[in-house]
Amino acid sequence: MTETPEAGEIDLDNMTLMGSHLAVTGHLRAITGPATGQLTRREADTLLRSYLEPRGFSEAVRRLATRHLLILVGEHDTGRRLGALALLSRMSLAVSTITVLSPAAGAADLLTGTEYKPGRAYLLHDWITAGTDRTELVNLARKLAELGSYLVITRSGGPSQAVEVEHAWAAPEPGELFDLCLRAYGRRAGLRPDELTRARELARTLPTPAEVVRLAARLSPGGEPAGEEVTAWLDTKPPMREVLAVAALAFTHRLAEPAFGEQLARLERLCQEIGHRPAGGPLIGVEDGLVTFRAPHQRARVLAELVARYGFGLWQPLREWVRSLPGQGPAVQVRAAEGVALLARHSMKEARQEFLEVWARGSAAERVAAANVLSYLCADDTLAPEALGIALGWAADPHDIRATAAAVALGGGLSVRYPDDCARVLRRLETLGGPAAAVAAQSLKSLPAR
C-alpha cells in the first residue's frame, strides 16, 4: 500500500530523495538532446538508408505536394516518422533542413503561434494534443501553401473529419523490408542460404518495421545480440523460484548482492515460494559485488518474455512488489524506475496503469520514481512523446497531487528532450498555486540557461 501523500512533501533540496533523479537526468543529458529543432538532410538520409515505401506512398506524395499539409494516421510502430521524412524529402524546398516541432503543439498553436518560413519543411511526430478541427487544419494547409512550405504530422488512432489533410498509414511488407536492410547494410556476406531463408521467414512474422530492421542488423559480426538464450532457457520451463530471481533482477539490475537478496526474499514471500534458492542460474551473475544479468541485453529480453509468457499467477505479486520498491531507498527506487521504463517498450498500458499512475499519486519517493520513469522513457525516440503527454496530463490540474510528480519530471529528463514545453508548463504551475507550485519553482531553477 502507498502511504497517504502530503502536499508539498517533495523537496528538491533533499539530496537523499533527489539524488537518484539528478543522476537519471544527468545520464540522459549525456546520451541524447532535444527532440525538437533542426534535422539536417544528412541526418535524414542516414535514417532513410533502410526505408521501404509502403502501399499508398505515391498517393501520399501527391497529396502532400497538393495540400502542403499531411497528417499520417495509423498505429504505433508502423514507420510513420520515417515515412514523414521520406515524404518531405520528395518536396521541392528552398532549404533541405527539416524543422521538428513539439508534439505538444495544438492545432491553434500550429496555425497562429508557429512561425513558418518560405520553402521549408516541418515535421511533427506523435502528435499528443491532436486537433481534429477541420477548419483549423484546412486553414493551416492554406497558410503553408501560400508560403510554399510543407508540414507532415503523425498521430495515432483513426481518421477524423479533417479527411482533406489526413492519410491512412500502414507498415511496409516485412519480407521486402528485410531484404532492403540486408542490401543497405551489407549483411548478406557470410550468411549461408539456409540461414538467410530462416531469417527471412522470421522477418515476415514480426509485427513492426523496427523489429525487422533489428533482425537484419543482428545478422553480422558484432551485430546486436538477439537474446535467444533467454528464450531457450524459459522454454525449459524453469522452476518458479528461478523465474522470480530473473524477474526481480529485471527491476533491480546491478544492485549490491545483499540488497538484492533482501528484495528477492520479499518477492518470494509474496509468491509463497519458500525453500531452497537457486545459486544463480544461466542468466544471473555477480560483478564487483553487484548482481547483474550475464549480458546487458538480457534485461529487456526477460521483461519481454515475462509479458508474453506469464499471467496473473506471476504478475499480480510481481506488480505488488515492484510498486513497493520506491520505499526501499534511492538505490532500489532508481533501478525500479528503469525497469518500468523498459517494461513500457513492451506494454505501455501495463507500465502506466499498474506503476506510473499509482506512484504519481503516492508518497514523495513514489512520485520521484514516477518522474524517473518518464526520464528514462525520454531515451527512446518513440516513447519520449508519450512521456511528455503523460506529464502534461498530470500537470493539467495544479491541485492534483500528480502535478507534483509532473513538476519533477518536467525539470528532469523531459527538459532534455522538450526544453521549451517544460519551461512553459513549469512557469504555469509555479503561478497557479497548489501543491505543485513550490516543486515547479525548484525545477525551474534547475533548468539549463537558454
Side-chain angles (χ1 to χ4, degrees), residues 53-409:
E53 297 173 2
R55 292 190 320 275
F57 184 84
S58 57
E59 173 64 11
V61 171
R62 186 194 66 78
R63 296 190 66 197
L64 177 60
T66 302
R67 280 287 183 178
H68 290 256
L69 168 66
L70 197 63
I71 303 173
L72 306 184
V73 181
E75 298 304 315
H76 273 295
D77 297 323
T78 53
R80 294 174 307 178
R81 180 170 181 263
L82 286 184
L85 292 175
L87 289 169
L88 290 170
S89 72
R90 294 291 195 92
M91 300 299 107
S92 177
L93 302 168
V95 178
S96 59
T97 301
I98 297 173
T99 300
V100 183
L101 305 178
S102 167
D109 297 323
L110 293 172
L111 178 60
T112 62
T114 303
E115 182 182 355
Y116 301 99
K117 296 181 180 180
R120 301 293 184 95
Y122 297 87
L123 168 66
L124 192 162
H125 178 53
D126 275 350
W127 200 11
I128 58 177
T129 55
T132 56
D133 184 281
R134 177 180 173 275
T135 301
E136 284 183 326
L137 293 174
V138 170
N139 287 339
L140 176 58
R142 186 177 297 116
K143 179 178 181 178
L144 290 163
E146 290 171 355
L147 292 169
S149 297
Y150 299 88
L151 168 61
V152 179
I153 298 173
T154 73
R155 72 166 176 84
S156 300
S160 73
Q161 294 180 343
V163 293
E164 295 96 332
V165 295
E166 291 184 344
H167 187 82
W169 202 250
E173 201 284 317
E176 295 179 12
L177 176 59
F178 177 75
D179 290 339
L180 175 64
C181 290
L182 292 183
R183 292 194 299 271
Y185 296 103
R187 305 298 188 192
R188 288 182 182 272
L191 288 177
R192 298 194 312 271
D194 61 318
E195 291 178 319
L196 187 59
T197 299
R198 285 197 301 271
R200 193 176 192 279
E201 289 174 353
L202 174 59
R204 298 188 67 167
T205 69
L206 295 176
T208 69
E211 291 183 64
V212 175
V213 173
R214 283 195 292 268
L215 172 62
R218 290 196 292 264
L219 296 178
S220 65
E224 176 188 344
E228 284 94 346
E229 72 279 15
V230 175
T231 302
W233 177 68
L234 287 169
D235 283 344
T236 68
K237 301 190 182 304
M240 181 53 67
R241 295 203 80 192
E242 294 185 21
V243 175
L244 290 178
V246 296
L249 187 55
F251 292 97
T252 57
H253 189 233
R254 297 190 64 79
L255 195 62
E257 195 169 6
F260 175 75
E262 178 184 342
Q263 298 307 321
L264 177 55
R266 294 177 58 245
L267 176 58
E268 290 171 339
R269 287 194 292 272
L270 282 172
C271 296
Q272 299 181 347
E273 288 287 341
I274 308 299
H276 174 70
R277 179 180 295 171
L283 304 182
I284 301 177
V286 178
E287 180 182 325
D288 298 327
L290 304 178
V291 184
T292 69
F293 284 103
R294 296 189 184 276
H297 69 271
Q298 292 173 343
R299 185 182 189 187
R301 187 56 183 262
V302 161
L303 285 167
E305 293 290 341
L306 293 180
V307 169
R309 292 172 181 257
Y310 292 88
F312 184 86
L314 171 68
W315 275 100
Q316 188 56 25
L318 186 59
R319 292 185 189 108
E320 183 179 346
W321 176 77
V322 173
R323 286 195 288 260
S324 74
L325 292 179
Q328 300 297 307
V332 177
Q333 178 250 96
V334 72
R335 287 163 173 81
E338 186 178 18
V340 170
L342 286 173
L343 175 66
R345 297 181 184 179
H346 308 287
S347 179
M348 173 58 81
K349 180 179 179 182
E350 171 81 14
R352 181 168 185 177
Q353 291 184 354
E354 299 295 340
F355 305 113
L356 271 170
E357 292 293 341
V358 175
W359 284 346
R361 292 182 171 89
S363 68
E366 288 170 327
R367 282 177 277 153
V368 171
N372 281 340
V373 173
L374 297 186
S375 288
Y376 277 122
L377 291 176
C378 285
D380 187 304
D381 288 340
T382 301
L383 296 177
E386 291 202 49
L388 178 62
I390 291 169
L392 295 182
W394 291 348
D397 179 0
H399 297 283
D400 186 331
I401 198 66
R402 295 177 301 171
T404 59
V408 177

